[in-house]
Amino acid sequence: MIRTLGFSPSLDVVYIVDAVTVGAIHRPSRVLRSAGGKSLNVARALATLGRPAAAIVPLGGRIGEVIVDLLAQTPIELTAVPTADETRMCVTAAASGALTEFYERAPTPSPDAVAAIIAHVDAVPAGDVLAISGAIPDGLDVAAVVAALARCTERGVRVAVDVHGPALGAIIGGAHPWIVKVNRSEAAPITGLPESAELAAHAAGLQRVGAGLVVLTDGADGSFATDSAGRSWRATSTRAPGAFPVGSGDCFFAGLLAELVDGTGIPQALRIAAACGTANAEAPGTATFDLATVEACLAATLVREGDSAG
């Protein structure tokens, strides 16, 4: 079972409009609502790929109830931990290939909610995957989360990480995760290298801190992976980038995890992950791709071994 953990869920709303004009009234031709935040995006992408998925998130207020209702329509096994503050909303206006985004800050879960979440983390069975992703709200007890993830690693849970900020280095150093999936800008504060440094150098820096398999996404330039034995691969696509990239990294993460859990080798897992991320960007909303588009994107995705990824 792949279980996702996030501390910053949201109700994601996408308005499809012809144009965005400051000061004007807009009447969307289409409105999409989904249970969002990176960890829930990963869980929904896993469900789309036909993989069993479970999610642990704090949810509060009426928006939290809406998210519960939305996820009740999916096969995702939801553990909704009650918290005092209203869950946030993230709104995107999509017009002619341009996205105008309004992201509320995630509230900090109450200490009781964090304690309850950690209790659920401590109950994850050995052999499962626990994927933590998304922003860590200000004021959250990061040390307690790191300790819980370290206990997971110690008892045989495979911890996968896609977070940013100071918590990233703490989690890598404390929990020694199975997988770290980040981008250049997220890796640079941990490695101490310029963002423009070769991805191989960023990956090596993350592994020195304690990461296992490192996967670095690089936007339209593809992605790069290196394992603990020093083997590396680069994935690129000849397909034109889509107009809706929000959530593509989460879909990439889901595809990567799904394939690795199934026993697929890293090169093919990286290829499928890249295809999932590309497919997501071709439709409005997050994790709304379809499997036929993934297959089409696979045909345009190439994985090369030994690329240093500048």
Side-chain angles (χ1 to χ4, degrees):
M1 171 73 79
I2 301 175
R3 303 175 189 271
T4 68
L5 170 64
F7 292 93
S8 53
S10 64
L11 175 62
D12 286 358
V13 181
V14 179
Y15 295 133
I16 308 299
V17 295
D18 293 332
V20 174
T21 304
V22 175
I25 293 175
H26 299 81
R27 302 192 186 280
S29 60
R30 187 179 176 195
V31 179
L32 303 173
R33 295 179 178 86
S34 60
K38 292 179 73 65
S39 68
L40 292 181
N41 292 341
V42 172
R44 287 189 299 105
L46 286 167
T48 299
L49 292 169
R51 303 314 202 275
I56 306 168
V57 286
L59 294 173
R62 293 186 177 182
I63 293 177
E65 293 172 0
V66 171
I67 291 174
V68 170
D69 290 343
L70 287 170
L71 290 175
Q73 304 169 37
T74 75
I76 295 166
E77 176 188 315
L78 175 65
T79 298
V81 175
T83 190
D85 293 318
E86 187 90 16
T87 299
R88 66 180 179 147
M89 287 182 60
C90 294
V91 177
T92 299
S96 302
L99 304 181
T100 302
E101 298 164 292
F102 302 87
Y103 286 8
E104 296 179 13
R105 292 187 180 277
T108 302
S110 65
D112 286 348
V114 174
I117 289 169
I118 287 174
H120 288 296
V121 169
D122 283 335
V124 173
D128 279 8
V129 171
L130 180 66
I132 177 171
S133 56
I136 305 296
D138 294 338
L140 189 140
D141 186 352
V142 173
V145 174
V146 172
L149 295 175
R151 292 192 295 272
C152 283
T153 299
E154 289 167 2
R155 68 175 184 276
V157 175
R158 289 172 287 180
V159 175
V161 179
D162 180 15
V163 303
H164 58 270
L168 175 61
I171 292 171
I172 296 174
H176 302 286
W178 170 50
I179 297 173
V180 173
K181 195 284 289 183
V182 290
N183 60 32
R184 284 180 181 273
S185 63
E186 292 162 344
I190 310 302
T191 63
L193 298 170
E195 284 188 27
S196 58
E198 285 193 353
L199 292 180
H202 281 300
L206 293 174
Q207 288 177 326
R208 282 193 294 271
V209 178
L213 173 65
V214 173
V215 181
L216 293 160
T217 54
D218 201 21
D221 290 328
S223 54
F224 174 79
T226 185
D227 67 10
S228 57
R231 293 171 297 182
S232 62
W233 301 265
R234 177 71 181 256
T236 56
S237 177
T238 58
R239 199 170 174 97
F244 307 98
V246 176
S248 287
D250 308 325
C251 296
F252 179 106
F253 198 25
L256 182 75
L257 294 173
E259 293 303 315
L260 291 176
V261 166
D262 283 354
T264 305
I266 294 171
Q268 180 66 358
L270 187 64
R271 182 168 173 258
I272 290 172
C276 289
T278 302
N280 177 78
E282 297 191 7
T286 51
T288 57
F289 62 88
D290 59 67
L291 297 181
T293 306
V294 172
E295 287 295 327
C297 293
L298 269 174
T301 304
L302 173 69
V303 174
R304 303 187 304 274
E305 186 171 358
D307 194 321
S308 63

